Amino acid sequence: MTGDLTLVEKLVTTNEARIMLLVLDGLGDIPSREHGGQTPLEAARTPNLDELVKEAVCGRMIPVLPGITPGSGPGHLALFGYDPVRLEIGRGIVEAAGLGLELTGDTLAARANFATMDNQGVITDRRAGRIPTEKTAELCRILSTIEQIDGVQVQIAPSLGHRFVVLFKGEELDPRLSDSDPQKEGQKPLPVVPLVSEARKASEIANQFVAEAHRLLRGEQPANSVLLRGFSTTPRLSTLAERFKLRTAAIANYPAYRGMARLVGMDLLPVVQSVKEQFELYLEQYQQYDFFFVHVKGTDSAGEDGDFDRKVATIEEVDQSLPVLLQKMPDVFAVTGDHSSPVPLKAHSWHPVPVMIHSPVCGADDVSRFTEKQCNLGGLGIFPAINLMPLLLANGKKLKKFGA
Amino acid sequence: MTGDLTLVEKLVTTNEARIMLLVLDGLGDIPSREHGGQTPLEAARTPNLDELVKEAVCGRMIPVLPGITPGSGPGHLALFGYDPVRLEIGRGIVEAAGLGLELTGDTLAARANFATMDNQGVITDRRAGRIPTEKTAELCRILSTIEQIDGVQVQIAPSLGHRFVVLFKGEELDPRLSDSDPQKEGQKPLPVVPLVSEARKASEIANQFVAEAHRLLRGEQPANSVLLRGFSTTPRLSTLAERFKLRTAAIANYPAYRGMARLVGMDLLPVVQSVKEQFELYLEQYQQYDFFFVHVKGTDSAGEDGDFDRKVATIEEVDQSLPVLLQKMPDVFAVTGDHSSPVPLKAHSWHPVPVMIHSPVCGADDVSRFTEKQCNLGGLGIFPAINLMPLLLANGKKLKKFGA
């Protein structure tokens, strides 16, 4: 049932209907005893969502496959209607796209962290004390003196916090490489290993880059080391415009999500601060697009930090901002997450994500609050996330009848 | 999950159990404010269904794929256990089969309407004021003077209302042709265009037929034009007898549904008027068959006309006729639709269709009325319609255990 939207693509037609996909990253949760057996969605005061949900249909979505915990990449691919199992997009390319870097067919990208290494070469902090963005920019300027390695061009670009991106541009740079990031503290950075023989050249370049970077950062503290992961090249994706005839825009603040959006052909609207401003940006751009992807990061960060109250607060901020939308309510309004990030787990998880679709023709169910438990009983059932896009198109009357 | 019933076919065994599949065409609906937020199923008085549902399991079925609005063809194929995505059957062939016309491998069929054209050649009424069946028969006799075109035999057969069927019999008539029906008034009939080069010959024959028909109908009013659509040839389908060892009969009144039934190998029982008579026909034929497909059209027509009360009335007629069945209750009795045709949409839709399976071994759930909302909570969940047939066979104890 999942994975192939060829039939959907054949039936697409265009009209004036506006669709908004509001993604509260890591939205789904599980109850914890500490918080009275409630989830953040249950604990949050959400009068506006409560009102909308009465005229919506709800359900829960399986991001990839039952039991599979997705990263943000697969989670978002599924939401956009791309098969996350067949289509693995490396985090390096996603981050690079999000930063607006120019990516060609022969670009190999890696996501990188500045990290702290002790004098035994052991990583003591994978995030170098979460150095600020400004410091990262400064360090990136130092690394930018590495302009090329064995004829391969090197490009460094700072991202948010301790994160940056390394691009290698040259021929025959196969991305099938292991990470240098050991994902744990107390270990040395790993050598980048070719996973197939074709990737030998790329691994040598990457390892030389790491060695050179460590040399350049020797005097720095705490950021005296780099960790690379998510080696990847640009995938050839049909855009949402090509597949679903949609004019699409992303209202997202973080490079990774902007990157995902850009890879599927969305226009990137300016970065703004609050959810309210994100919704206002939608109002401003209402005429220009018929599909708006709005991404809210706070729910995921709070879930990963195990911060129940902050997750509740983010949900309440979204709820309080909803009246902005009512000025020009999208014809189809979906609220969901790309995966669950339960507070008790402090991590992404496999739990199905609550989803709500609001439209004048969405049908009905007895869900009276947008929570995990109630969504279990919703009219959409429990379904693969890749089917969300066809449902949004259908609710926007953007799909013709199949067969006579 | 969907599409492949090979395993089911391998496990089929025969017994005396009788199965009835009662299809209320376009049954599913969505609430409308006008009618107090109710759907026709919710508004209808259905004491007999209410009684049956207590001993049944319910659910909702996705006819084809989430978000996909099926035509009657794909909708019924799925109900009969055929993959509607892989198996597209043209409406021409379906209609022709339903009229009992002889179809061979080299028959190209098109569904046709009589229509009204103004003196600019623009279609002003796609249905020629819905001329009666008798008038259509008379006009078909006129068109029958076109006996052949360039060596291709032409056969005309009247159907119901303003509808008729054209068969072209000859070699190399590829059905991959566009419709001449523009599907909208205010436009001229479209030329029949070959969608692949192999269909050039067929397109020329079809266009000559249209030109000749328009010449013959010049003096007629309002039916002075013909519109062709659904060009198709006979598919090679394994029958229900071959696949599931069932002796099957269709109790359906409309040619299109009789046609679908015939294509999967059902015997066509005589056309009767009321639902009560349809059920009486089942009683009469009880010994001869073990699978009865009973088709009720009224729910769909009412939905498409946006007529809430008529949809309610049809459901109530079905309910009031149910006591007839109690004389010889089918061992397995399923009630569902081939798709939804919500009154507020006045059209087919993608919304999952309520389904109820009644048998002594069906299991249980808490559904107390057969409505869309309650079926959301049923023991069958929300599932692809192609899985209905295995469930019916299982409830009839017609499937052996798989594996030891």
Side-chain angles (χ1 to χ4, degrees):
Chain A
M1 193 142 190
T2 173
D4 188 357
L5 300 189
T6 314
L7 177 60
V8 176
E9 292 172 26
K10 280 188 197 154
L11 298 172
V12 165
T13 180
T14 56
N15 62 19
E16 287 300 300
R18 296 295 187 264
I19 298 173
M20 180 185 287
L21 170 62
L22 172 60
V23 176
L24 307 193
D25 203 296
L27 177 64
D29 218 296
I30 60 177
S32 60
R33 288 205 186 152
E34 260 180 276
H35 301 96
Q38 285 194 313
T39 67
L41 269 176
E42 288 168 345
R45 266 182 40 83
T46 54
N48 295 306
L49 269 175
D50 297 355
E51 206 52 48
L52 282 176
V53 86
K54 288 181 200 159
E55 296 181 334
V57 278
C58 293
R60 289 186 76 175
M61 296 197 306
I62 297 166
V64 175
L65 286 171
I68 301 296
T69 294
S72 301
H76 278 84
L77 279 177
L79 291 178
F80 299 155
Y82 294 78
D83 185 345
V85 176
R86 282 189 298 177
L87 200 73
E88 220 175 320
I89 301 183
R91 198 58 186 260
I93 279 295
V94 171
E95 193 84 8
L99 293 174
L101 301 177
E102 198 200 335
L103 302 172
T104 58
D106 61 358
T107 303
L108 172 68
R111 208 179 180 206
N113 279 6
F114 285 109
T116 310
M117 194 159 74
D118 68 14
N119 51 22
Q120 307 299 312
V122 169
I123 297 297
T124 56
D125 185 339
R126 284 181 58 246
R127 299 180 182 89
R130 291 188 183 272
I131 50 168
T133 303
E134 299 70 40
K135 180 67 185 174
T136 292
E138 183 193 320
L139 295 169
C140 282
R141 278 192 295 275
I142 296 175
L143 294 187
S144 290
T145 57
I146 312 173
E147 288 182 354
Q148 62 96 13
I149 298 171
D150 286 357
V152 171
Q153 250 189 287
V154 179
Q155 186 185 346
I156 310 289
S159 181
L160 297 183
H162 54 283
R163 302 175 193 93
F164 66 103
V165 165
V166 189
L167 300 187
F168 301 98
K169 295 188 177 187
E171 280 170 16
E172 292 173 18
L173 296 177
D174 193 293
R176 288 171 283 182
L177 300 168
S178 68
D179 295 346
S180 84
D181 185 347
Q183 290 284 349
K184 278 181 199 163
E185 272 121 23
Q187 294 189 16
K188 292 185 180 183
L190 304 168
V192 175
V193 175
L195 303 176
V196 293
S197 60
E198 295 93 317
R200 195 159 299 148
K201 176 181 169 188
S203 73
E204 285 163 11
I205 303 286
N207 285 320
Q208 281 186 55
F209 170 79
V210 172
E212 186 65 11
H214 285 177
R215 202 183 57 75
L216 288 169
L217 298 172
R218 205 176 291 157
E220 296 292 332
Q221 207 41 257
N224 61 355
S225 172
V226 300
L227 300 174
L228 304 186
R229 57 195 164 109
F231 287 97
S232 39
T233 46
T234 316
R236 281 191 204 89
L237 293 186
S238 305
T239 62
L240 291 172
E242 286 161 356
R243 297 181 64 205
F244 306 126
K245 299 183 183 154
L246 292 170
R247 298 172 301 155
T248 55
I251 304 179
N253 294 345
Y254 280 71
Y257 311 99
R258 295 174 73 82
M260 288 304 306
R262 189 154 167 253
L263 287 174
V264 298
M266 290 190 202
D267 283 356
L268 302 182
L269 299 188
V271 171
V272 292
Q273 291 308 309
S274 66
V275 178
K276 183 158 172 286
E277 286 167 301
Q278 290 183 295
F279 289 167
E280 284 164 352
L281 198 47
Y282 151 77
L283 292 181
E284 277 169 35
Q285 299 287 328
Y286 185 89
Q287 288 306 326
Q288 276 63 57
Y289 300 98
D290 33 36
F291 184 96
F292 293 86
F293 158 56
V294 179
H295 182 267
V296 174
K297 175 71 175 166
T299 31
D300 181 55
S301 324
E304 291 207 314
D305 291 348
D307 191 333
F308 188 90
D309 295 339
R310 216 170 78 228
K311 196 160 177 182
V312 169
T314 305
I315 293 165
E316 292 184 344
E317 184 197 348
V318 171
D319 188 77
Q320 284 153 22
S321 309
L322 283 176
V324 175
L325 285 189
L326 297 180
Q327 292 176 44
K328 260 184 193 163
M329 192 63 192
D331 301 277
V332 185
F333 178 51
V335 185
T336 189
D338 55 336
H339 55 75
S340 296
S341 285
V343 168
L345 291 179
K346 296 188 181 182
H348 290 202
S349 80
W350 66 92
H351 300 88
V353 193
V355 57
M356 157 185 138
I357 299 178
H358 181 277
S359 91
V361 297
C362 65
D365 55 29
D366 282 327
V367 174
S368 61
R369 278 210 76 212
F370 183 58
T371 66
E372 292 83 358
K373 276 193 203 165
Q374 289 217 19
C375 284
N376 286 338
L377 307 178
L380 293 170
I382 299 186
F383 64 100
I386 196 172
N387 290 329
L388 179 63
M389 190 56 105
L391 288 170
L392 298 183
L393 293 168
N395 274 278
K397 300 187 182 173
K398 292 179 192 286
L399 292 181
K400 287 176 289 188
K401 185 162 73 172
F402 169 54
Chain B
M1 193 147 188
T2 174
D4 188 357
L5 300 188
T6 315
L7 176 61
V8 176
E9 292 173 25
K10 281 186 195 155
L11 299 174
V12 164
T13 181
T14 57
N15 62 19
E16 288 299 302
R18 297 294 186 263
I19 298 172
M20 180 185 287
L21 170 61
L22 172 59
V23 176
L24 308 192
D25 203 296
L27 177 63
D29 218 296
I30 61 178
S32 60
R33 289 208 186 149
E34 260 180 276
H35 301 96
Q38 284 193 314
T39 66
L41 269 176
E42 288 169 343
R45 268 181 37 83
T46 55
N48 295 305
L49 268 174
D50 297 354
E51 206 51 49
L52 281 175
V53 86
K54 288 181 199 159
E55 297 179 333
V57 277
C58 293
R60 290 186 77 174
M61 296 198 305
I62 296 166
V64 175
L65 287 171
I68 300 294
T69 294
S72 301
H76 277 84
L77 279 177
L79 291 178
F80 299 155
Y82 294 78
D83 184 346
V85 176
R86 281 187 301 177
L87 202 73
E88 221 176 321
I89 302 183
R91 199 57 185 260
I93 279 295
V94 171
E95 193 86 7
L99 294 173
L101 301 177
E102 198 200 335
L103 303 172
T104 58
D106 61 358
T107 303
L108 172 67
R111 207 178 181 208
N113 278 5
F114 284 108
T116 310
M117 194 159 75
D118 67 14
N119 50 22
Q120 309 298 315
V122 169
I123 297 297
T124 55
D125 185 340
R126 283 182 57 246
R127 299 180 182 90
R130 291 190 183 271
I131 50 168
T133 304
E134 300 70 40
K135 181 68 185 173
T136 292
E138 183 194 320
L139 294 170
C140 282
R141 279 192 295 276
I142 297 175
L143 294 188
S144 291
T145 56
I146 312 172
E147 289 182 354
Q148 63 95 17
I149 297 170
D150 287 358
V152 171
Q153 249 189 283
V154 179
Q155 187 186 344
I156 309 289
S159 181
L160 298 182
H162 54 283
R163 301 175 193 92
F164 65 104
V165 165
V166 189
L167 300 187
F168 301 98
K169 295 189 177 186
E171 280 170 15
E172 292 175 16
L173 296 177
D174 193 293
R176 287 171 283 180
L177 299 169
S178 68
D179 297 346
S180 84
D181 185 348
Q183 292 283 346
K184 277 181 199 161
E185 272 122 23
Q187 295 190 13
K188 293 184 180 183
L190 304 169
V192 174
V193 175
L195 304 176
V196 293
S197 60
E198 296 92 317
R200 195 159 298 147
K201 177 182 169 189
S203 73
E204 285 164 9
I205 303 288
N207 285 320
Q208 281 186 52
F209 170 79
V210 172
E212 187 64 11
H214 285 177
R215 202 184 55 76
L216 289 169
L217 298 172
R218 205 175 293 155
E220 297 291 330
Q221 206 46 256
N224 61 355
S225 173
V226 299
L227 300 174
L228 305 185
R229 57 194 164 111
F231 287 96
S232 39
T233 47
T234 317
R236 283 192 202 88
L237 293 185
S238 305
T239 64
L240 290 172
E242 288 160 354
R243 296 182 64 204
F244 305 127
K245 300 183 182 155
L246 293 170
R247 297 171 302 155
T248 55
I251 304 178
N253 295 345
Y254 280 70
Y257 311 99
R258 295 174 72 83
M260 288 304 306
R262 187 149 170 258
L263 288 174
V264 298
M266 290 191 201
D267 284 355
L268 302 182
L269 300 187
V271 171
V272 293
Q273 291 309 309
S274 66
V275 179
K276 185 160 171 284
E277 287 167 302
Q278 290 183 294
F279 288 167
E280 284 163 353
L281 197 48
Y282 152 76
L283 292 180
E284 277 169 34
Q285 298 286 329
Y286 185 89
Q287 287 308 323
Q288 277 63 58
Y289 300 99
D290 34 35
F291 184 96
F292 294 86
F293 159 55
V294 180
H295 182 266
V296 175
K297 176 70 176 167
T299 31
D300 181 55
S301 325
E304 291 207 315
D305 291 347
D307 191 332
F308 187 89
D309 295 338
R310 216 170 77 226
K311 195 160 178 182
V312 169
T314 305
I315 293 166
E316 292 184 344
E317 185 198 346
V318 171
D319 188 78
Q320 284 152 22
S321 310
L322 283 175
V324 175
L325 286 188
L326 297 179
Q327 293 174 44
K328 260 182 193 165
M329 192 62 192
D331 301 276
V332 184
F333 178 50
V335 185
T336 189
D338 55 336
H339 55 77
S340 296
S341 286
V343 169
L345 289 179
K346 296 189 182 184
H348 290 202
S349 81
W350 66 92
H351 300 89
V353 193
V355 57
M356 159 186 135
I357 299 179
H358 181 277
S359 90
V361 296
C362 64
D365 55 30
D366 283 328
V367 174
S368 61
R369 278 210 77 210
F370 183 58
T371 65
E372 291 82 358
K373 275 192 200 167
Q374 289 217 18
C375 284
N376 286 339
L377 308 178
L380 294 170
I382 298 185
F383 64 101
I386 197 172
N387 291 332
L388 179 64
M389 190 57 105
L391 288 169
L392 298 183
L393 293 167
N395 275 278
K397 301 188 183 172
K398 291 179 192 288
L399 291 182
K400 288 177 289 188
K401 182 163 73 176
F402 169 56

PDB file of all heavy atoms in Angstrom, chain B residues 102-117:
ATOM      1  N   GLU B 102     -21.882  -9.854 -27.336  1.00  0.00           N
ATOM      2  CA  GLU B 102     -20.804 -10.814 -27.515  1.00  0.00           C
ATOM      3  C   GLU B 102     -19.484 -10.072 -27.712  1.00  0.00           C
ATOM      4  O   GLU B 102     -19.359  -9.228 -28.590  1.00  0.00           O
ATOM      5  CB  GLU B 102     -21.086 -11.692 -28.742  1.00  0.00           C
ATOM      6  CG  GLU B 102     -20.268 -12.966 -28.727  1.00  0.00           C
ATOM      7  CD  GLU B 102     -20.188 -13.571 -30.124  1.00  0.00           C
ATOM      8  OE1 GLU B 102     -21.082 -13.306 -30.944  1.00  0.00           O
ATOM      9  OE2 GLU B 102     -19.207 -14.293 -30.378  1.00  0.00           O
ATOM     10  N   LEU B 103     -18.533 -10.388 -26.869  1.00  0.00           N
ATOM     11  CA  LEU B 103     -17.238  -9.696 -26.932  1.00  0.00           C
ATOM     12  C   LEU B 103     -16.150 -10.703 -27.264  1.00  0.00           C
ATOM     13  O   LEU B 103     -15.980 -11.689 -26.561  1.00  0.00           O
ATOM     14  CB  LEU B 103     -16.932  -9.040 -25.586  1.00  0.00           C
ATOM     15  CG  LEU B 103     -17.978  -8.047 -25.084  1.00  0.00           C
ATOM     16  CD1 LEU B 103     -17.675  -7.613 -23.656  1.00  0.00           C
ATOM     17  CD2 LEU B 103     -18.057  -6.841 -26.002  1.00  0.00           C
ATOM     18  N   THR B 104     -15.433 -10.443 -28.334  1.00  0.00           N
ATOM     19  CA  THR B 104     -14.314 -11.326 -28.659  1.00  0.00           C
ATOM     20  C   THR B 104     -13.018 -10.550 -28.495  1.00  0.00           C
ATOM     21  O   THR B 104     -13.030  -9.366 -28.134  1.00  0.00           O
ATOM     22  CB  THR B 104     -14.444 -11.843 -30.106  1.00  0.00           C
ATOM     23  OG1 THR B 104     -14.479 -10.705 -30.976  1.00  0.00           O
ATOM     24  CG2 THR B 104     -15.727 -12.646 -30.279  1.00  0.00           C
ATOM     25  N   GLY B 105     -11.932 -11.222 -28.752  1.00  0.00           N
ATOM     26  CA  GLY B 105     -10.620 -10.580 -28.572  1.00  0.00           C
ATOM     27  C   GLY B 105     -10.416  -9.361 -29.443  1.00  0.00           C
ATOM     28  O   GLY B 105      -9.664  -8.460 -29.082  1.00  0.00           O
ATOM     29  N   ASP B 106     -11.095  -9.303 -30.592  1.00  0.00           N
ATOM     30  CA  ASP B 106     -10.864  -8.158 -31.474  1.00  0.00           C
ATOM     31  C   ASP B 106     -12.017  -7.159 -31.456  1.00  0.00           C
ATOM     32  O   ASP B 106     -12.269  -6.456 -32.418  1.00  0.00           O
ATOM     33  CB  ASP B 106     -10.534  -8.614 -32.901  1.00  0.00           C
ATOM     34  CG  ASP B 106     -11.687  -9.411 -33.521  1.00  0.00           C
ATOM     35  OD1 ASP B 106     -12.697  -9.617 -32.816  1.00  0.00           O
ATOM     36  OD2 ASP B 106     -11.561  -9.816 -34.688  1.00  0.00           O
ATOM     37  N   THR B 107     -12.705  -7.089 -30.294  1.00  0.00           N
ATOM     38  CA  THR B 107     -13.767  -6.101 -30.145  1.00  0.00           C
ATOM     39  C   THR B 107     -13.244  -4.866 -29.423  1.00  0.00           C
ATOM     40  O   THR B 107     -12.684  -4.973 -28.333  1.00  0.00           O
ATOM     41  CB  THR B 107     -14.937  -6.675 -29.318  1.00  0.00           C
ATOM     42  OG1 THR B 107     -15.412  -7.863 -29.932  1.00  0.00           O
ATOM     43  CG2 THR B 107     -16.068  -5.669 -29.208  1.00  0.00           C
ATOM     44  N   LEU B 108     -13.440  -3.721 -30.046  1.00  0.00           N
ATOM     45  CA  LEU B 108     -13.132  -2.440 -29.386  1.00  0.00           C
ATOM     46  C   LEU B 108     -14.473  -1.812 -29.030  1.00  0.00           C
ATOM     47  O   LEU B 108     -15.325  -1.631 -29.895  1.00  0.00           O
ATOM     48  CB  LEU B 108     -12.362  -1.536 -30.356  1.00  0.00           C
ATOM     49  CG  LEU B 108     -12.120  -0.086 -29.905  1.00  0.00           C
ATOM     50  CD1 LEU B 108     -11.169  -0.027 -28.713  1.00  0.00           C
ATOM     51  CD2 LEU B 108     -11.565   0.745 -31.069  1.00  0.00           C
ATOM     52  N   ALA B 109     -14.666  -1.510 -27.756  1.00  0.00           N
ATOM     53  CA  ALA B 109     -15.958  -0.980 -27.323  1.00  0.00           C
ATOM     54  C   ALA B 109     -15.817   0.444 -26.823  1.00  0.00           C
ATOM     55  O   ALA B 109     -14.804   0.814 -26.234  1.00  0.00           O
ATOM     56  CB  ALA B 109     -16.535  -1.855 -26.220  1.00  0.00           C
ATOM     57  N   ALA B 110     -16.859   1.242 -27.054  1.00  0.00           N
ATOM     58  CA  ALA B 110     -16.900   2.594 -26.494  1.00  0.00           C
ATOM     59  C   ALA B 110     -18.271   2.814 -25.886  1.00  0.00           C
ATOM     60  O   ALA B 110     -19.288   2.331 -26.387  1.00  0.00           O
ATOM     61  CB  ALA B 110     -16.642   3.638 -27.574  1.00  0.00           C
ATOM     62  N   ARG B 111     -18.273   3.502 -24.767  1.00  0.00           N
ATOM     63  CA  ARG B 111     -19.520   3.937 -24.188  1.00  0.00           C
ATOM     64  C   ARG B 111     -19.904   5.217 -24.915  1.00  0.00           C
ATOM     65  O   ARG B 111     -19.041   6.034 -25.244  1.00  0.00           O
ATOM     66  CB  ARG B 111     -19.288   4.228 -22.723  1.00  0.00           C
ATOM     67  CG  ARG B 111     -20.519   4.052 -21.902  1.00  0.00           C
ATOM     68  CD  ARG B 111     -20.232   4.305 -20.452  1.00  0.00           C
ATOM     69  NE  ARG B 111     -21.443   4.106 -19.712  1.00  0.00           N
ATOM     70  CZ  ARG B 111     -21.724   4.706 -18.576  1.00  0.00           C
ATOM     71  NH1 ARG B 111     -20.855   5.529 -18.034  1.00  0.00           N
ATOM     72  NH2 ARG B 111     -22.862   4.482 -17.969  1.00  0.00           N
ATOM     73  N   ALA B 112     -21.199   5.411 -25.159  1.00  0.00           N
ATOM     74  CA  ALA B 112     -21.606   6.593 -25.912  1.00  0.00           C
ATOM     75  C   ALA B 112     -22.822   7.247 -25.275  1.00  0.00           C
ATOM     76  O   ALA B 112     -23.623   6.583 -24.614  1.00  0.00           O
ATOM     77  CB  ALA B 112     -21.904   6.203 -27.355  1.00  0.00           C
ATOM     78  N   ASN B 113     -22.912   8.540 -25.423  1.00  0.00           N
ATOM     79  CA  ASN B 113     -24.085   9.341 -25.042  1.00  0.00           C
ATOM     80  C   ASN B 113     -24.703   9.941 -26.293  1.00  0.00           C
ATOM     81  O   ASN B 113     -23.958  10.368 -27.181  1.00  0.00           O
ATOM     82  CB  ASN B 113     -23.668  10.574 -24.222  1.00  0.00           C
ATOM     83  CG  ASN B 113     -23.443  10.279 -22.772  1.00  0.00           C
ATOM     84  OD1 ASN B 113     -23.493   9.130 -22.351  1.00  0.00           O
ATOM     85  ND2 ASN B 113     -23.175  11.336 -22.015  1.00  0.00           N
ATOM     86  N   PHE B 114     -26.030  10.040 -26.328  1.00  0.00           N
ATOM     87  CA  PHE B 114     -26.621  11.006 -27.228  1.00  0.00           C
ATOM     88  C   PHE B 114     -26.548  12.367 -26.546  1.00  0.00           C
ATOM     89  O   PHE B 114     -26.746  12.476 -25.325  1.00  0.00           O
ATOM     90  CB  PHE B 114     -28.078  10.643 -27.554  1.00  0.00           C
ATOM     91  CG  PHE B 114     -28.162   9.500 -28.529  1.00  0.00           C
ATOM     92  CD1 PHE B 114     -28.589   8.238 -28.110  1.00  0.00           C
ATOM     93  CD2 PHE B 114     -27.784   9.678 -29.850  1.00  0.00           C
ATOM     94  CE1 PHE B 114     -28.646   7.177 -29.010  1.00  0.00           C
ATOM     95  CE2 PHE B 114     -27.842   8.615 -30.761  1.00  0.00           C
ATOM     96  CZ  PHE B 114     -28.265   7.365 -30.333  1.00  0.00           C
ATOM     97  N   ALA B 115     -26.220  13.402 -27.343  1.00  0.00           N
ATOM     98  CA  ALA B 115     -26.039  14.739 -26.782  1.00  0.00           C
ATOM     99  C   ALA B 115     -26.676  15.764 -27.712  1.00  0.00           C
ATOM    100  O   ALA B 115     -27.076  15.436 -28.838  1.00  0.00           O
ATOM    101  CB  ALA B 115     -24.549  15.040 -26.610  1.00  0.00           C
ATOM    102  N   THR B 116     -26.779  16.994 -27.235  1.00  0.00           N
ATOM    103  CA  THR B 116     -27.326  18.082 -28.057  1.00  0.00           C
ATOM    104  C   THR B 116     -26.206  19.048 -28.438  1.00  0.00           C
ATOM    105  O   THR B 116     -25.422  19.465 -27.593  1.00  0.00           O
ATOM    106  CB  THR B 116     -28.412  18.867 -27.275  1.00  0.00           C
ATOM    107  OG1 THR B 116     -29.328  17.936 -26.727  1.00  0.00           O
ATOM    108  CG2 THR B 116     -29.134  19.838 -28.193  1.00  0.00           C
ATOM    109  N   MET B 117     -26.199  19.381 -29.745  1.00  0.00           N
ATOM    110  CA  MET B 117     -25.159  20.240 -30.298  1.00  0.00           C
ATOM    111  C   MET B 117     -25.862  21.451 -30.925  1.00  0.00           C
ATOM    112  O   MET B 117     -26.918  21.278 -31.545  1.00  0.00           O
ATOM    113  CB  MET B 117     -24.462  19.413 -31.397  1.00  0.00           C
ATOM    114  CG  MET B 117     -23.150  19.923 -31.906  1.00  0.00           C
ATOM    115  SD  MET B 117     -22.222  18.531 -32.688  1.00  0.00           S
ATOM    116  CE  MET B 117     -23.122  18.350 -34.239  1.00  0.00           C
TER     117      MET B 117
END
